[in-house]
Amino acid sequence: MLDRAAIPRRPSRRAVLKGGVLGAGALAVGVALPRIAGAAGGADGVVHIGASLPLTGPYEKVSRICKDAFDFWTRTYDGKMVVAGRERAVKWTIYDDENNASRAAQLTEKLISDDKVDLVVGTYGTDTVLAQGAIVRKHGRVFVQAGASSIRVDEELGGHTAFTANGRVGTYCAGAMDFLASRTPKPKKLGLVIMDDPVYHEIGQGVKDKCKQHGIDVVTEVVLPMNVQDLRPTALKLRGAGQLDIVYNTGWDVICIKLAEEMSAIGVNPKAFVGGHLTTSPVVKETLGSKMQGIIGSTVWLPQFKYRDDKYASAQEFAEKFKATYGYLPTYQAAFSYILPYIYQQALREADPQDPFNPKTLRDRLSRLDLKDTIWGPVSFDERGRIRRDAAPAVQWTGDPAAAVIVAPADMAESAGVYPKPAW
Amino acid sequence: MEDVLVYGLLRGGIYALAAFGFSLVLGVIGIVNFAHGALVVFGGLLTQYLAVKFGVPYAAAMIGGALGTGLLGAVIQRLFVARTFTLEPLMVLVQTFGIATVVTELGTLGWGSEERMLRLKTGLPPGFMLGDTFVPSFDLVVFAVSLVSAAVLFVVLGRTEFGRAIRACRDNRESAQLSGINLGRTFEKTMFLSGTWAGLAGAMFVTLSPVAPYMHFSWTVDSFLVITIGGLGSMLGALVGGLVFGVLSFGASFYAPTIAPAITFGVLLVFLVFRPQGLLGAGPAIRK
Amino acid sequence: MNFVSMAYAIRTGPVRNQLLCLAVFLLVVALCPLVMNDYWLRLMVFVFVNIGLASSWNLIGGFGGYASFGHGVFFGVGAFAGAVGMVRFGLPLPAVMVIGGALSAALAALFVPVFRQKGLYFALSTLAVMLVFETVLQRWTFTRGLRSYDLGWTLAPSLPLEGFFYLFLGLLGLIVGSIIVVVRSKIGYALHAIRKDEVLASSIGVRTTKYKAITFMISAAWPGVLGAAFAPFLAYVSVQSVFDVSITLNMILITIFGGAGTVIGPIVGGIALSIIDQIAWGNFLEYHRLIYGALIVAITTLHPGGLASVFWGWVERRRSAAKPVPRPSAPGHPPTSAPRRA
């Protein structure tokens, strides 16, 4: 029917108006309903902590670890936090930001203006933390985070809005590179694999700086798109670069697994393979099995570290208790997630009972914070709100089944390390 | 150059394997199955699960994984697609996208979200030199199995009563029904076959590279690419398309890794504009 | 006059009444900031953008029957136009919105050769174009970022939240208004003919390519405008955030959920899915994806015409129950059931 339809009955203007009002009313009710249902209060005697995590998507595994660690902290303190000298019950609200920056912003807005949380802890991922920070900043609030270590956090939010409990990513390679540079014969050639995203370029820049310092040549540098599937072309590129002494992967755990698999499949045998900052993820060891032998990883925390706090006599004890509860050994993400509410607890212990969560005083308290003993090591922040810490120790997997031992820096080392590593 | 070709072809075998079912369903039922990638991943994880959890030998686990995936495909057809395949293609796209989400989420709930891999001890030498190229022997085995299973599929489609029914439904639905073929049953069988081969692809891939539920979408897109290059709805096209796509994507990621996606999709566009029937396509008959 | 006959009257009545209805709706929604806090305003902005995008998609995908699977490219190009224009050249927001819309429309014009393809091929071509652009914008130093190592753009929000609320509400009004007008114009009737049977349409003298191109350009220009306006709202624009496949998928899901090929469909779908999303997020953290997926499967399997068809089916039943004399089916062309394949 292409012709203009005959009009059966002309509706009165009133009817049209009525229709519009009804439609809009339906919208308003629809929007208001969940609001009423989800109403929660910053009731007295309760500390309401809000967070979002990328619970679905590529960071799913890591964020589950973070979530477990939040829970572990809550269990450790029996669900209570001492604020302004008074014990209060802890209440968590956690959402899934799907590693999507606009979702993270929206959820942070929800946490602050709708759920009215007292404290916000940061999510995991650079873009999402920056998006979150923009909202926190708009409200003039403060948050502690460890999920984004890029220098951009310092530039855009550091010191006034964000307090970052993790060291700069540019320093991630320090332990591993210092360790390798001290080996004999001294490594000369390095192949670098960088993911095409600012934070990975930052890690890569750190590696290049260390190479310059130690006189190592970066003979090949492969930049990969974030959605890369097949790592064999990369392995072939590395093969084409001749005998490499070191292959350094800046990417995450899956990239590390795939790169190791493909290098071993086509016979690329560098004298050392540095798997990057997520080599300690349980999935890497499980998947690579015996190929784990000799792989080096950088990590900012391990149960072997000589750290302690008021509840655990050692990081080892912390790790064992954690494993008994959740069935796996905590990674450094578990430790830095555990430390986020812990930092708040320490900062708020002696807050003003009248207005304990006042952003201005909280900011001052956080910047003055100086904790010697925590599960995460000494905690104090510089003027950009960054934890004072400048090197990530290196670990190496040795023995059968492979176990991680610290090989650098020298004062923490448990073993002399293996170089060159056995062939795949 | 030569190594790019060899490695590309080796990968192409698995791409072709994954694309057979996609192509079959598109040709016969006339739908684009967005859940196809989820089937591939499901097959891989099921195989891994059978092998690791119950200690089933790999060959049996692979067959179990493939048949299990086929069954899942048939269930999807009977419960969902059977009701919608006569509607606009878009409806089925959205529906199967929803199914992919559900399968992926259920898989995550059951198996967890971490990447899994199945390591086999084949006792083979690690590989051999072909000219200057090191060919991993296990890759070659997987490639050979791909070709053999492709041959099996050709025989099933070309030589059996079941295959004849499927082809009849593809070529002319009405006259197939008139000659007593049960359309619904045939479509379920088609989906079973499609799922089985998708599962097979997953079962093989899981021995080469880690697989996790969230990876399903790239398998769907890759299958799409393969059959666009090879030709929609043609089995031989899917095989050729898979091999060509293997070389193309390997070459792109080797020579220009940062813009590799733009190159592969650019080639796809060229095909779509200048040769929409693909290299070996059946022509406009199935262009819906 | 009861609700049923009123709804029916608005649907079949002249364009003027539909526009009036839209205006009333917008006015009521415009009062929201009086009672809503920042979170709800921000959420409403997202709902407006989603509905605006879905409505634009609906024009070519629903009314025209050409499902674009890469419609996100227009939003992404718009967002990059906004980011690059505002940061690199210091242009004001209205200027980048115009540029974003124009760039997207120009990009859509390049699709004319692809219009020879139907259905799947068209879907695939648009998807391929989106993936090509995603990579190009990420690698090209002009669009990559301000400094060489940057990837993405940081923008200062140029309006307060209420400002964005009214900006997007206004844009939504313009988009839906333009669609109401287009659907009842010569273009709309041509689209209807094309969707039913393209060969027949061209044989009776409908210049199909021309109308398809015009429609596609309109349906591409709006996402471009929305994208450019969205850039300062998002504050940080990168390929990962504005070229996400989920943006395109959302346009399609919202349209189908509400009812493809109807003006009201994307509006209803956008609101309904947002509510579901909110509830699922708040209460079923681990299962919200599953719930979302299951809903999509349920609606496409049971009611492929979407919520709109459920509603109109109900209206039709009420009308036929009220009148013993059977009437011919609804004039005008919003289909009451899912469109069958031609």
Side-chain angles (χ1 to χ4, degrees):
Chain A
M1 262 183 273
L2 284 183
D3 54 335
R4 198 169 282 258
I7 302 153
R9 223 184 314 156
R10 189 159 258 242
S12 67
R13 190 138 305 165
R14 193 196 170 93
V16 173
L17 275 166
K18 220 163 111 192
V21 170
L22 271 173
L27 172 79
V29 168
V31 169
L33 256 182
R35 184 184 176 188
I36 295 157
D44 217 25
V46 173
V47 186
H48 193 176
I49 309 178
S52 76
L53 285 170
L55 287 164
T56 46
Y59 290 145
E60 195 169 316
K61 299 187 301 291
V62 176
S63 54
R64 271 173 210 277
I65 296 175
C66 297
K67 190 160 168 275
D68 286 345
F70 291 157
D71 182 53
F72 190 61
W73 174 83
T74 317
R75 282 163 184 253
T76 302
Y77 289 93
D78 283 333
K80 303 222 168 51
M81 187 195 243
V82 177
V83 174
R86 201 176 120 221
E87 211 169 56
R88 299 176 191 225
V90 173
K91 178 185 170 203
W92 284 90
T93 300
I94 301 176
Y95 296 116
D96 177 13
D97 62 41
E98 298 172 2
N99 194 32
N100 175 329
S102 54
R103 279 225 170 192
Q106 194 185 337
L107 289 171
T108 309
E109 187 76 75
K110 182 174 170 64
L111 288 171
I112 294 177
S113 45
D114 204 52
D115 299 332
K116 306 217 183 299
V117 297
D118 301 312
L119 302 166
V120 177
V121 299
T123 178
Y124 187 88
T126 309
D127 281 9
T128 42
V129 167
L130 288 171
Q132 209 174 25
I135 302 296
V136 176
R137 183 180 189 176
K138 196 190 80 181
H139 287 276
R141 304 271 289 251
V142 185
F143 76 129
V144 182
Q145 64 92 17
S149 308
S150 167
I151 199 154
R152 278 171 53 214
V153 178
D154 297 9
E155 286 170 358
E156 292 174 26
L157 304 165
H160 48 83
T161 304
F163 287 84
T164 306
N166 198 2
R168 287 193 181 88
V169 291
T171 64
Y172 273 9
C173 66
M177 292 304 290
D178 291 343
F179 164 73
L180 288 169
S182 67
R183 299 295 102 178
T184 42
K186 193 177 172 219
K188 290 259 171 293
K189 292 176 174 172
L190 180 138
L192 185 56
V193 178
I194 299 179
M195 308 311 292
D196 196 8
D197 192 66
V199 67
Y200 298 101
H201 279 286
E202 223 174 296
I203 301 177
Q205 191 55 48
V207 176
K208 285 187 247 177
D209 292 344
K210 276 287 175 192
C211 284
K212 198 176 278 172
Q213 182 193 331
H214 293 301
I216 299 170
D217 279 342
V218 180
V219 273
T220 181
E221 182 184 330
V222 187
V223 180
L224 296 174
M226 293 291 280
N227 56 0
V228 65
Q229 298 295 328
D230 192 354
L231 268 292
R232 182 165 293 180
T234 312
L236 188 59
K237 249 310 197 312
L238 296 172
R239 188 168 206 256
Q243 175 60 48
L244 292 170
D245 298 316
I246 306 170
V247 169
Y248 197 109
N249 162 45
T250 63
W252 54 94
D253 43 11
V254 183
I255 304 293
C256 169
I257 297 169
K258 287 188 174 177
L259 196 57
E261 282 296 332
E262 298 301 348
M263 284 199 296
S264 82
I266 65 168
V268 181
N269 267 308
K271 292 193 190 120
F273 174 58
V274 186
H277 63 292
L278 287 180
T279 321
T280 45
S281 295
V283 67
V284 177
K285 201 178 126 190
E286 270 163 39
T287 322
L288 285 178
S290 61
K291 286 179 187 163
M292 206 62 201
Q293 287 284 342
I295 290 185
I296 297 171
S298 62
T299 182
V300 281
W301 186 87
L302 273 181
Q304 289 97 311
F305 287 10
K306 306 262 176 292
Y307 295 151
R308 56 191 297 277
D309 70 2
D310 51 325
K311 291 279 180 184
Y312 299 103
S314 68
Q316 199 68 48
E317 192 189 319
F318 167 85
E320 272 154 23
K321 187 85 190 297
F322 189 97
K323 188 173 181 187
T325 317
Y326 302 100
Y328 60 92
L329 271 176
T331 61
Y332 78 83
Q333 292 95 346
F336 76 42
S337 301
Y338 178 88
I339 206 70
L340 298 178
Y342 185 90
I343 288 174
Y344 277 129
Q345 183 175 22
Q346 299 302 323
L348 290 169
R349 196 174 282 277
E350 275 133 38
D352 172 17
Q354 294 308 312
D355 186 10
F357 303 108
N358 181 297
K360 203 176 155 299
T361 51
L362 180 57
R363 188 175 298 126
D364 292 343
R365 284 176 181 281
L366 283 171
S367 33
R368 284 203 313 269
L369 201 65
D370 190 8
L371 305 172
K372 296 280 178 285
D373 281 323
T374 78
I375 279 307
W376 184 241
V379 174
S380 69
F381 297 103
D382 65 15
E383 67 283 359
R384 303 303 289 171
R386 175 73 73 161
I387 194 166
R388 292 194 173 87
R389 187 165 298 188
D390 56 3
V395 290
Q396 189 173 37
W397 278 260
T398 50
D400 192 27
V405 291
I406 305 170
V407 293
D411 56 341
M412 287 179 139
E414 301 171 319
S415 151
V418 180
Y419 178 88
K421 78 178 211 40
W424 295 113
Chain B
M1 186 66 215
E2 175 199 293
D3 35 18
V4 170
L5 200 66
V6 171
Y7 293 140
L9 285 175
L10 288 176
R11 272 286 186 275
I14 292 192
Y15 290 131
L17 209 53
F20 283 141
F22 194 76
S23 181
L24 190 67
V25 165
L26 180 63
V28 176
I29 314 181
I31 62 158
V32 171
N33 181 7
F34 252 38
H36 194 76
L39 292 179
V40 175
V41 170
F42 180 82
L45 291 178
L46 185 59
T47 306
Q48 198 267 357
Y49 183 71
L50 290 175
V52 172
K53 191 84 181 175
F54 299 106
V56 178
Y58 174 65
M62 180 175 81
I63 292 170
L67 293 179
T69 313
L71 210 60
L72 177 65
V75 169
I76 290 174
Q77 169 67 28
R78 169 171 285 189
L79 293 185
F80 302 108
V81 180
R83 295 164 197 268
T84 50
F85 73 95
T86 52
L87 303 176
E88 281 191 358
L90 177 66
M91 283 300 157
V92 188
L93 275 185
V94 174
Q95 184 194 35
T96 50
F97 171 76
I99 293 172
T101 311
V102 171
V103 170
T104 303
E105 289 303 308
L106 288 178
T108 308
L109 286 179
W111 282 321
S113 53
E114 60 266 37
E115 297 80 6
R116 283 152 196 275
M117 208 177 148
L118 188 58
R119 196 169 300 285
L120 295 182
K121 293 210 172 26
T122 48
L124 294 168
F128 57 91
M129 296 301 285
L130 183 77
D132 288 335
T133 310
F134 180 83
V135 182
S137 43
F138 192 64
D139 280 33
L140 202 65
V141 171
V142 170
F143 184 69
V145 176
S146 300
L147 289 188
V148 169
S149 71
V152 171
L153 188 61
F154 281 114
V155 171
V156 168
L157 286 180
R159 302 284 155 140
T160 64
E161 193 54 41
F162 168 49
R164 258 193 290 284
I166 287 182
R167 279 182 294 132
C169 289
R170 178 186 70 194
D171 296 339
N172 192 328
R173 213 172 270 174
E174 283 76 21
S175 43
Q177 274 178 300
L178 282 177
S179 38
I181 293 172
N182 181 334
L183 207 61
R185 265 307 111 68
T186 312
F187 283 180
E188 275 164 31
K189 285 176 185 161
T190 307
M191 203 64 153
F192 176 77
L193 215 54
S194 161
T196 305
W197 258 260
L200 202 58
M204 299 208 165
F205 193 71
V206 77
T207 61
L208 297 176
S209 190
V211 173
Y214 67 83
M215 296 173 179
H216 70 101
F217 197 67
S218 67
W219 278 104
T220 306
V221 173
D222 286 351
S223 304
F224 234 151
L225 279 162
V226 166
I227 59 164
T228 315
I229 293 173
L232 298 194
S234 142
M235 288 301 118
L236 193 60
L239 181 59
V240 174
L243 298 180
V244 171
F245 174 67
V247 175
L248 174 70
S249 69
F250 196 93
S253 328
F254 181 74
Y255 291 110
T258 44
I259 54 161
I263 295 176
T264 34
F265 289 105
V267 170
L268 174 73
L269 265 185
V270 170
F271 263 95
L272 285 168
V273 173
F274 295 105
R275 202 175 161 77
Q277 70 272 41
L279 290 172
L280 297 163
I286 51 122
R287 287 171 56 193
K288 298 199 176 72
Chain C
M1 193 171 198
N2 65 10
F3 176 69
V4 169
S5 54
M6 189 183 69
Y8 188 80
I10 293 170
R11 181 183 177 207
T12 50
V15 172
R16 197 160 48 87
N17 284 358
Q18 295 188 356
L19 288 177
L20 194 66
C21 200
L22 174 70
V24 172
F25 178 77
L26 293 177
L27 277 177
V28 174
V29 177
L31 298 176
C32 284
L34 296 179
V35 293
M36 282 184 172
N37 65 20
D38 280 6
Y39 166 63
W40 288 98
L41 286 186
R42 181 168 278 269
L43 182 66
M44 293 288 275
V45 169
F46 277 96
V47 176
F48 296 158
V49 172
N50 275 334
I51 296 177
L53 288 175
S55 296
S56 314
W57 183 89
N58 189 26
L59 195 56
I60 188 78
F63 289 104
Y66 274 74
S68 161
F69 255 73
H71 228 59
V73 71
F74 303 115
F75 181 75
V77 164
F80 266 83
V84 176
M86 291 177 88
V87 177
R88 203 181 271 282
F89 301 108
L91 296 175
L93 187 57
V96 292
M97 282 163 62
V98 172
I99 294 172
L103 274 180
S104 294
L107 179 60
L110 297 179
F111 270 84
V112 173
V114 187
F115 273 127
R116 286 182 298 161
Q117 324 292 350
K118 223 188 135 80
L120 266 185
Y121 282 92
F122 183 75
L124 262 180
S125 313
T126 48
L127 179 65
V129 167
M130 183 174 92
L131 294 165
V132 169
F133 263 78
E134 180 182 340
T135 312
V136 169
L137 287 180
Q138 178 159 11
R139 294 305 305 176
W140 188 20
T141 46
F142 181 73
T143 50
R144 186 179 163 89
L146 200 54
R147 294 165 298 188
S148 63
Y149 56 86
D150 273 351
L151 220 171
W153 300 83
T154 308
L155 292 93
S158 49
L159 292 173
L161 193 52
E162 287 79 16
F164 278 114
F165 179 89
Y166 288 113
L167 173 67
F168 283 105
L169 183 64
L171 280 175
L172 180 62
L174 285 176
I175 293 170
V176 177
S178 74
I179 288 170
I180 292 176
V181 172
V182 165
V183 167
R184 289 296 190 87
S185 72
K186 208 174 162 193
I187 303 174
Y189 296 122
L191 278 182
H192 187 56
I194 289 169
R195 182 181 178 182
K196 286 284 175 214
D197 191 337
E198 188 159 350
V199 179
L200 182 65
S202 75
S203 72
I204 58 168
V206 177
R207 293 171 61 193
T208 54
T209 310
K210 176 184 149 191
Y211 285 114
K212 281 187 290 183
I214 294 174
T215 315
F216 196 48
M217 281 167 72
I218 299 173
S219 114
W222 282 126
V225 176
L226 281 173
F230 198 63
F233 178 73
L234 198 56
Y236 181 71
V237 172
S238 69
V239 165
Q240 259 117 41
S241 56
V242 297
F243 272 88
D244 204 86
V245 187
S246 68
I247 294 177
T248 307
L249 287 174
N250 262 335
M251 297 185 205
I252 301 174
L253 293 182
I254 287 173
T255 310
I256 303 258
F257 202 79
T262 64
V263 174
I264 192 83
I267 303 176
V268 174
I271 296 170
L273 281 180
S274 304
I275 293 172
I276 291 164
D277 224 33
Q278 286 302 309
I279 295 172
W281 254 353
N283 303 319
F284 312 99
L285 187 58
E286 313 278 323
Y287 303 99
H288 72 92
R289 280 277 187 96
L290 188 63
I291 294 171
Y292 208 71
L295 262 175
I296 294 162
V297 176
I299 195 90
T300 47
T301 311
L302 304 174
H303 279 288
L307 294 180
S309 89
V310 177
F311 175 72
W312 291 121
W314 176 76
V315 168
E316 291 287 323
R317 276 197 302 282
R318 288 288 299 270
R319 280 171 55 80
S320 51
K323 282 195 199 65
V325 185
R327 288 178 58 89
S329 69
H333 51 251
T336 52
S337 63
R340 300 264 137 186
R341 195 178 283 202

